[in-house]
Amino acid sequence: MNRSIGIFDSGVGGLTVFSAIRRALPHESLIYLGDTARVPYGTKSAETVIKYSIQNAHFLAQRGIKALVVACNTSSAYSLEHLRKTVDVPVIGVIEPGAKAALAKSKTKHIGVIGTSATIGSNAYARLLKEYEPNARVVSLACPLFVPLVEEGWTDTEVTKLTAKIYLESFRNENIDTLILGCTHYPLLKSVIQEVVGSGVALIDSAETVAESVKDELAKNGLLINGNARPSYQLYVTDLPARFEAVALNFLGKGIPPVKRVEL
Ligand code: DGL
């Protein structure tokens, strides 16, 4: 029996990762959980984020997964080690692939990082970037209002543009050449963010790199699917599905399965 890849986030943001994995591994079945009843994670304490992440992992593990993808930077920053003790399948986070992708892209090694208050507070990106590249100069900034805007589906409104301008204008003086979108919700705001920081700054959306890491991890463990199986996709949320479904439809296109509401 072929098992699925389990993916979770606090809400719709992890769909950016879901979509990249679907492209990279078109025959693998995927189960996604968006913890929409408790979004945002990024304003909560480490203990709470860890507790929610473990509950999400249990839910997915009960459905027989072969790998767990933590498609949430906030959760990746705090709970990877806890999740590795919770489930007996490979656990893949988003921070390491994002940091590596940024260093590969940046010429000057002057790198900006934006994320939730919890992710930026954890210093996880700055620490890793400096570990890989001691000469890196890292400027970090929390942008907490971006997550509710994306959850609302407001990816291109005047309010969103103004919010991005207020948050990000300071980056113009920092001389960065690369900006890590250190929250999986932020790629949905890519064009708004690019407009404010200018076309000279490369935006790093770690979804593609994460998908490559998932592929490598499955290959390493002999877990890649054989042949051209028809994949199945399951989407779950912990609160009303309607708004999630609208964003998912917009983002993943037609053919997404009905979104089911579950209790954890
Ligand atoms: N998308 C998540 C992240 O990457 C969580 C955002 C939130 O719930 O605050 O950090």
Side-chain angles (χ1 to χ4, degrees), residues 122-141:
S122 77
N123 219 22
Y125 273 107
R127 214 176 28 240
L128 263 190
L129 288 165
K130 289 210 183 269
E131 187 185 313
Y132 297 146
E133 172 56 69
N135 291 325
R137 190 167 68 80
V138 185
V139 197
S140 307
L141 180 75

mmCIF file of all heavy atoms in Angstrom, residues 122-141:
data_model
loop_
_atom_site.group_PDB
_atom_site.id
_atom_site.type_symbol
_atom_site.label_atom_id
_atom_site.label_comp_id
_atom_site.label_asym_id
_atom_site.label_seq_id
_atom_site.Cartn_x
_atom_site.Cartn_y
_atom_site.Cartn_z
ATOM 1 N N SER A 122 13.005 33.830 16.758
ATOM 2 C CA SER A 122 13.804 32.615 16.978
ATOM 3 C C SER A 122 15.226 32.776 16.445
ATOM 4 O O SER A 122 16.123 32.026 16.802
ATOM 5 C CB SER A 122 13.164 31.420 16.259
ATOM 6 O OG SER A 122 13.435 31.477 14.869
ATOM 7 N N ASN A 123 15.416 33.730 15.532
ATOM 8 C CA ASN A 123 16.724 33.981 14.917
ATOM 9 C C ASN A 123 17.224 32.792 14.079
ATOM 10 O O ASN A 123 18.408 32.706 13.748
ATOM 11 C CB ASN A 123 17.752 34.309 16.007
ATOM 12 C CG ASN A 123 18.690 35.396 15.566
ATOM 13 O OD1 ASN A 123 18.354 36.178 14.664
ATOM 14 N ND2 ASN A 123 19.861 35.439 16.153
ATOM 15 N N ALA A 124 16.322 31.877 13.760
ATOM 16 C CA ALA A 124 16.734 30.633 13.096
ATOM 17 C C ALA A 124 17.418 30.896 11.751
ATOM 18 O O ALA A 124 18.451 30.274 11.445
ATOM 19 C CB ALA A 124 15.523 29.728 12.900
ATOM 20 N N TYR A 125 16.876 31.794 10.953
ATOM 21 C CA TYR A 125 17.488 32.063 9.641
ATOM 22 C C TYR A 125 18.867 32.706 9.793
ATOM 23 O O TYR A 125 19.837 32.273 9.166
ATOM 24 C CB TYR A 125 16.596 32.983 8.798
ATOM 25 C CG TYR A 125 15.563 32.245 7.992
ATOM 26 C CD1 TYR A 125 14.232 32.275 8.358
ATOM 27 C CD2 TYR A 125 15.924 31.510 6.866
ATOM 28 C CE1 TYR A 125 13.267 31.590 7.626
ATOM 29 C CE2 TYR A 125 14.979 30.830 6.126
ATOM 30 C CZ TYR A 125 13.658 30.873 6.502
ATOM 31 O OH TYR A 125 12.720 30.191 5.770
ATOM 32 N N ALA A 126 18.931 33.769 10.619
ATOM 33 C CA ALA A 126 20.201 34.487 10.760
ATOM 34 C C ALA A 126 21.290 33.531 11.258
ATOM 35 O O ALA A 126 22.424 33.540 10.754
ATOM 36 C CB ALA A 126 20.026 35.656 11.711
ATOM 37 N N ARG A 127 20.921 32.672 12.212
ATOM 38 C CA ARG A 127 21.889 31.726 12.769
ATOM 39 C C ARG A 127 22.407 30.774 11.694
ATOM 40 O O ARG A 127 23.607 30.583 11.532
ATOM 41 C CB ARG A 127 21.220 30.946 13.898
ATOM 42 C CG ARG A 127 22.160 30.592 15.010
ATOM 43 C CD ARG A 127 21.520 29.900 16.196
ATOM 44 N NE ARG A 127 20.334 29.142 15.879
ATOM 45 C CZ ARG A 127 19.130 29.373 16.413
ATOM 46 N NH1 ARG A 127 18.970 30.377 17.256
ATOM 47 N NH2 ARG A 127 18.097 28.619 16.108
ATOM 48 N N LEU A 128 21.474 30.212 10.929
ATOM 49 C CA LEU A 128 21.874 29.248 9.893
ATOM 50 C C LEU A 128 22.697 29.916 8.784
ATOM 51 O O LEU A 128 23.702 29.371 8.328
ATOM 52 C CB LEU A 128 20.641 28.638 9.235
ATOM 53 C CG LEU A 128 20.150 27.293 9.710
ATOM 54 C CD1 LEU A 128 19.089 26.772 8.755
ATOM 55 C CD2 LEU A 128 21.293 26.270 9.795
ATOM 56 N N LEU A 129 22.238 31.101 8.354
ATOM 57 C CA LEU A 129 22.951 31.800 7.273
ATOM 58 C C LEU A 129 24.393 32.072 7.680
ATOM 59 O O LEU A 129 25.330 31.883 6.902
ATOM 60 C CB LEU A 129 22.239 33.121 6.942
ATOM 61 C CG LEU A 129 20.899 32.983 6.207
ATOM 62 C CD1 LEU A 129 20.107 34.287 6.262
ATOM 63 C CD2 LEU A 129 21.102 32.563 4.748
ATOM 64 N N LYS A 130 24.568 32.476 8.927
ATOM 65 C CA LYS A 130 25.934 32.789 9.397
ATOM 66 C C LYS A 130 26.759 31.530 9.606
ATOM 67 O O LYS A 130 27.973 31.543 9.457
ATOM 68 C CB LYS A 130 25.861 33.598 10.691
ATOM 69 C CG LYS A 130 25.360 34.993 10.438
ATOM 70 C CD LYS A 130 25.946 35.943 11.457
ATOM 71 C CE LYS A 130 25.397 37.333 11.272
ATOM 72 N NZ LYS A 130 26.203 38.137 10.382
ATOM 73 N N GLU A 131 26.061 30.451 9.950
ATOM 74 C CA GLU A 131 26.778 29.178 10.112
ATOM 75 C C GLU A 131 27.311 28.716 8.747
ATOM 76 O O GLU A 131 28.453 28.306 8.617
ATOM 77 C CB GLU A 131 25.801 28.157 10.684
ATOM 78 C CG GLU A 131 26.413 26.838 11.068
ATOM 79 C CD GLU A 131 25.331 25.847 11.514
ATOM 80 O OE1 GLU A 131 24.455 26.235 12.319
ATOM 81 O OE2 GLU A 131 25.356 24.704 11.006
ATOM 82 N N TYR A 132 26.461 28.831 7.709
ATOM 83 C CA TYR A 132 26.888 28.404 6.372
ATOM 84 C C TYR A 132 27.863 29.398 5.741
ATOM 85 O O TYR A 132 28.710 29.027 4.945
ATOM 86 C CB TYR A 132 25.688 28.262 5.435
ATOM 87 C CG TYR A 132 24.675 27.215 5.831
ATOM 88 C CD1 TYR A 132 23.318 27.404 5.566
ATOM 89 C CD2 TYR A 132 25.056 26.025 6.450
ATOM 90 C CE1 TYR A 132 22.367 26.453 5.918
ATOM 91 C CE2 TYR A 132 24.105 25.073 6.807
ATOM 92 C CZ TYR A 132 22.768 25.297 6.541
ATOM 93 O OH TYR A 132 21.829 24.363 6.894
ATOM 94 N N GLU A 133 27.673 30.692 6.046
ATOM 95 C CA GLU A 133 28.482 31.739 5.402
ATOM 96 C C GLU A 133 28.815 32.808 6.453
ATOM 97 O O GLU A 133 28.067 33.760 6.635
ATOM 98 C CB GLU A 133 27.670 32.336 4.234
ATOM 99 C CG GLU A 133 28.261 33.547 3.573
ATOM 100 C CD GLU A 133 29.669 33.332 3.064
ATOM 101 O OE1 GLU A 133 29.813 32.564 2.106
ATOM 102 O OE2 GLU A 133 30.608 33.939 3.618
ATOM 103 N N PRO A 134 29.933 32.643 7.144
ATOM 104 C CA PRO A 134 30.261 33.556 8.253
ATOM 105 C C PRO A 134 30.311 35.025 7.845
ATOM 106 O O PRO A 134 30.121 35.901 8.683
ATOM 107 C CB PRO A 134 31.633 33.064 8.724
ATOM 108 C CG PRO A 134 31.700 31.636 8.273
ATOM 109 C CD PRO A 134 30.888 31.537 7.012
ATOM 110 N N ASN A 135 30.553 35.308 6.554
ATOM 111 C CA ASN A 135 30.612 36.715 6.138
ATOM 112 C C ASN A 135 29.254 37.296 5.770
ATOM 113 O O ASN A 135 29.176 38.454 5.356
ATOM 114 C CB ASN A 135 31.535 36.862 4.916
ATOM 115 C CG ASN A 135 32.975 36.605 5.313
ATOM 116 O OD1 ASN A 135 33.381 36.944 6.424
ATOM 117 N ND2 ASN A 135 33.719 35.969 4.418
ATOM 118 N N ALA A 136 28.210 36.511 5.902
ATOM 119 C CA ALA A 136 26.887 37.004 5.509
ATOM 120 C C ALA A 136 26.454 38.152 6.440
ATOM 121 O O ALA A 136 26.763 38.141 7.628
ATOM 122 C CB ALA A 136 25.872 35.875 5.589
ATOM 123 N N ARG A 137 25.784 39.146 5.843
ATOM 124 C CA ARG A 137 25.179 40.208 6.663
ATOM 125 C C ARG A 137 23.672 40.021 6.552
ATOM 126 O O ARG A 137 23.127 39.994 5.438
ATOM 127 C CB ARG A 137 25.595 41.586 6.153
ATOM 128 C CG ARG A 137 25.197 42.710 7.104
ATOM 129 C CD ARG A 137 25.894 44.024 6.755
ATOM 130 N NE ARG A 137 25.424 44.558 5.479
ATOM 131 C CZ ARG A 137 24.279 45.227 5.335
ATOM 132 N NH1 ARG A 137 23.477 45.402 6.363
ATOM 133 N NH2 ARG A 137 23.921 45.692 4.156
ATOM 134 N N VAL A 138 23.018 39.855 7.685
ATOM 135 C CA VAL A 138 21.592 39.498 7.651
ATOM 136 C C VAL A 138 20.753 40.580 8.350
ATOM 137 O O VAL A 138 21.078 40.996 9.454
ATOM 138 C CB VAL A 138 21.361 38.137 8.365
ATOM 139 C CG1 VAL A 138 19.912 37.707 8.233
ATOM 140 C CG2 VAL A 138 22.287 37.059 7.795
ATOM 141 N N VAL A 139 19.714 41.025 7.666
ATOM 142 C CA VAL A 139 18.788 41.991 8.260
ATOM 143 C C VAL A 139 17.424 41.315 8.348
ATOM 144 O O VAL A 139 16.896 40.851 7.333
ATOM 145 C CB VAL A 139 18.616 43.231 7.349
ATOM 146 C CG1 VAL A 139 18.008 44.388 8.128
ATOM 147 C CG2 VAL A 139 19.907 43.634 6.689
ATOM 148 N N SER A 140 16.871 41.226 9.561
ATOM 149 C CA SER A 140 15.607 40.486 9.729
ATOM 150 C C SER A 140 14.471 41.423 10.144
ATOM 151 O O SER A 140 14.687 42.381 10.888
ATOM 152 C CB SER A 140 15.771 39.429 10.819
ATOM 153 O OG SER A 140 16.881 38.610 10.555
ATOM 154 N N LEU A 141 13.279 41.111 9.683
ATOM 155 C CA LEU A 141 12.123 41.955 10.003
ATOM 156 C C LEU A 141 10.847 41.117 10.082
ATOM 157 O O LEU A 141 10.551 40.329 9.182
ATOM 158 C CB LEU A 141 11.964 43.012 8.902
ATOM 159 C CG LEU A 141 10.810 43.982 9.063
ATOM 160 C CD1 LEU A 141 11.117 45.013 10.145
ATOM 161 C CD2 LEU A 141 10.511 44.696 7.743
#
